[in-house]
Amino acid sequence: MDEDKIKFNIIVCGDSFSSATNNARDHYSQILQDQYGYSVLCLARASMSNLGIAWQMREAIEIGCNFLLYHSTWAPRLNLLINDSFQVEKGLKNFIYPFRDDESSYTTYVGHNPICTSSNGIQTPNNAAPILSTVPQGLENNPTLTLTKDQHRAIEFYFKYFFNDALCQEVDSWILAHWHHQAEKSGIVPVDMKLSLGCAMFDYQMQGKIIGNTYVTHPDFNDDRPFHTDRATQEIVAASIDQYIKDKLNGN
């Protein structure tokens, strides 16, 4: 990649695990800026689907960076088409970023839609992004979106009759692998955070447990942190990334 076109040392893609918050600068992407001096853009967004993460990666390649950090998420997430305004050339602006606490919601690269925002969301009445990536749980009580009974029934029937987790996860992995390869072709170093550098944060989350049908979080979990871990864990991840980048730059 032409060094003159690189805007950031690092661009971060993913779902809530990689989504920095405006509440406090405790996320690894913010620690990399504040303590290590990297220029970092976070495009990650809570509840994002693997398709949405792929579009984040596509956007990151177009923006330009040295290192692209990303990870996959769970397959059973929805990409709800809110309107018919999808245009390929709009890139990540096709995807609605509705959460006020996500740092990425305030970047110029993402989409919004007033239909899918509550008083807790980002108000941009002149934007009508068409796609809302979301978890299927709790949609009937989702303040960012009002669905009809028929739409709720369609989602229920989709998961009951047409969804297969293993199949969707496999297809999602192909999509992410494509953009991993595209990043490499563009001279960017792509890093799948689940394979090594991000293990500390995923391991932390796995210390929670399932009781019945309910996930009980890690005892140190703080609801003000959408990325599911404490700051100490984020510092471990940031230090691992810094060391990885130094090793790469030194030819190791």
Side-chain angles (χ1 to χ4, degrees), residues 11-62:
I11 297 182
V12 176
C13 302
D15 64 356
S16 54
F17 280 96
S18 286
S19 183
T21 175
N22 285 316
N23 296 335
R25 296 188 64 79
D26 290 337
H27 188 257
Y28 75 79
S29 63
Q30 296 164 326
I31 295 170
L32 285 168
Q33 295 174 70
D34 298 344
Q35 294 188 17
Y36 296 94
Y38 293 104
S39 59
V40 182
L41 172 65
C42 185
L43 296 176
R45 199 216 78 181
S47 300
M48 192 58 111
S49 65
N50 282 319
L51 179 65
I53 293 170
W55 276 87
Q56 292 171 355
M57 295 172 71
R58 179 183 186 273
E59 192 75 21
I61 294 168
E62 291 190 4

Side-chain angles (χ1 to χ4, degrees), residues 142-192:
N142 189 337
T144 66
L145 178 66
T146 301
L147 297 176
T148 67
K149 289 183 179 179
D150 284 347
Q151 288 170 325
H152 279 295
R153 192 174 295 113
I155 292 170
E156 178 186 349
F157 286 171
Y158 165 70
F159 281 107
K160 185 174 182 179
Y161 296 112
F162 304 112
F163 175 78
N164 179 279
D165 186 86
L167 172 61
C168 289
Q169 199 72 52
E170 180 69 11
V171 173
D172 285 351
S173 73
W174 297 346
I175 297 170
L176 296 177
H178 169 77
W179 288 108
H180 182 110
H181 179 59
Q182 291 300 112
E184 290 179 324
K185 287 176 61 177
S186 299
I188 297 170
V189 179
V191 179
D192 185 341

Side-chain angles (χ1 to χ4, degrees), residues 192-233:
D192 185 341
M193 295 291 286
K194 280 191 173 179
L195 296 182
S196 57
L197 302 182
C199 286
M201 62 186 183
F202 296 110
D203 290 345
Y204 180 103
Q205 192 266 351
M206 290 303 294
Q207 292 179 47
K209 56 185 177 181
I210 298 291
I211 299 179
N213 293 322
T214 304
Y215 174 76
V216 179
T217 60
H218 188 285
D220 294 333
F221 177 73
N222 183 327
D223 286 334
D224 290 333
R225 294 190 296 258
F227 44 81
H228 310 301
T229 79
D230 58 0
R231 180 182 174 89
T233 303

